[in-house]
Amino acid sequence: MPSRADSRFASAPRRATVLGTPVDRLDMDQSLRRCVHAIECGEYLQHVVVNVAKLIALQDDESLREIVHRCTVVNADGQGVVWASRLLGDPLPERVAGIDLMFNLLHVAEQRGFRVYVLGARAEVLERAVARLRSGYPGLQVAGYRDGYFSESEVEAVCADIREAQAQILFVAMSSPRKEYFLGEHGTRLGVPLVMGVGGAIDVVAGTTRRAPRIRSTTICTSCGCDSFSPAAVMRTNFPLALSSSARSTNPGRWTLEQPGVNA
């Protein structure tokens, strides 16, 4: 029998497929409502965002690909993914930046009393970020937080701390693919309805990394979904998307995207 969440969202638009990866055809408001509904129902939802770099990485990383394909909600964080979906004739409605969804969820959490746990970043950065979150969202209930520098032998203790905190939202501020691996292996036993990788968003909150200016964010940086601006990141990620006719040999009438030299 379908769950309440399944029933409510049964009529949701089907997923698009970009480079073999399913991406939810949801805009920001729909994504937010889907996440909030899971929290209210106490149902496990793993959220992930994909950008062009991650789509490329998925081609060679079977474990990462399986984790992403299992996620309840997959959003297009990079504008390049949205452009690709349109060029491939399977359009997504818009970019849903992970950092923007995180801020929207923080606002809802403050209003509805959802408890939030933050895992990741350096200890001093995390302390500063949590202080800023408490200042910016006075009603926010921070259930706990822990830096992302822990060994394999400490994983069980980290998981136990998250369970004991009884949070409704877990933000994992670690880089890819570490955050996906962690949630893919341990997410379902943390007792948290909504788990979400947020990468460097906590560094942005702490003020140690600048978020890209809006005009730059929607052009250069979002081709691979990076929300923090640095010249090195732009040089690494700002490769022009190219249509490859070689894809026609295996998928006639369709095009695929190539972005040589981009690492996840």
Side-chain angles (χ1 to χ4, degrees), residues 35 50 106 117 132 150 215 223 259 263:
C35 291
V50 293
L106 285 168
Y117 193 107
R132 287 193 170 195
F150 53 88
I215 186 169
S223 65
Q259 195 176 20
N263 298 316

Side-chain angles (χ1 to χ4, degrees), residues 70-222:
R70 288 201 310 266
C71 287
T72 318
V73 174
V74 182
N75 282 140
D77 183 272
Q79 187 62 38
V81 179
V82 177
W83 289 335
S85 70
R86 293 170 182 173
L87 289 168
L88 295 169
D90 202 1
L92 294 163
E94 65 180 21
R95 176 194 183 213
V96 179
I99 190 170
D100 290 332
L101 181 59
M102 181 190 78
F103 285 130
N104 285 333
L105 283 166
L106 285 168
H107 175 71
V108 173
E110 180 188 29
Q111 297 299 314
R112 302 196 185 184
F114 297 151
R115 293 164 58 81
V116 173
Y117 193 107
V118 183
L119 173 66
R122 301 192 309 275
E124 64 275 15
V125 171
L126 183 58
E127 290 283 353
R128 190 178 310 142
V130 169
R132 287 193 170 195
L133 288 176
R134 285 172 167 159
S135 174
Y137 302 89
L140 183 67
Q141 297 185 45
V142 179
Y145 56 96
R146 207 260 188 223
D147 69 80
Y149 291 80
F150 53 88
S151 66
E152 189 63 31
S153 63
E154 296 175 287
V155 168
E156 287 304 319
V158 170
C159 292
D161 187 62
I162 295 172
R163 282 194 299 271
E164 291 170 8
Q166 297 183 335
Q168 281 84 47
I169 302 174
L170 170 64
F171 293 126
V172 180
M174 298 189 292
S175 61
S176 290
R178 190 184 175 210
K179 61 179 180 288
E180 287 88 2
Y181 290 157
F182 177 84
L183 290 175
E185 182 175 355
H186 306 291
T188 57
R189 61 191 188 91
L190 298 177
V192 184
L194 173 62
V195 300
M196 175 182 177
V198 295
I202 294 302
D203 292 78
V204 174
V205 172
T208 58
T209 301
R210 284 190 300 131
R211 187 175 184 185
R214 180 59 55 186
I215 186 169
R216 189 184 297 272
S217 177
T218 56
T219 54
I220 296 176
C221 293
T222 58

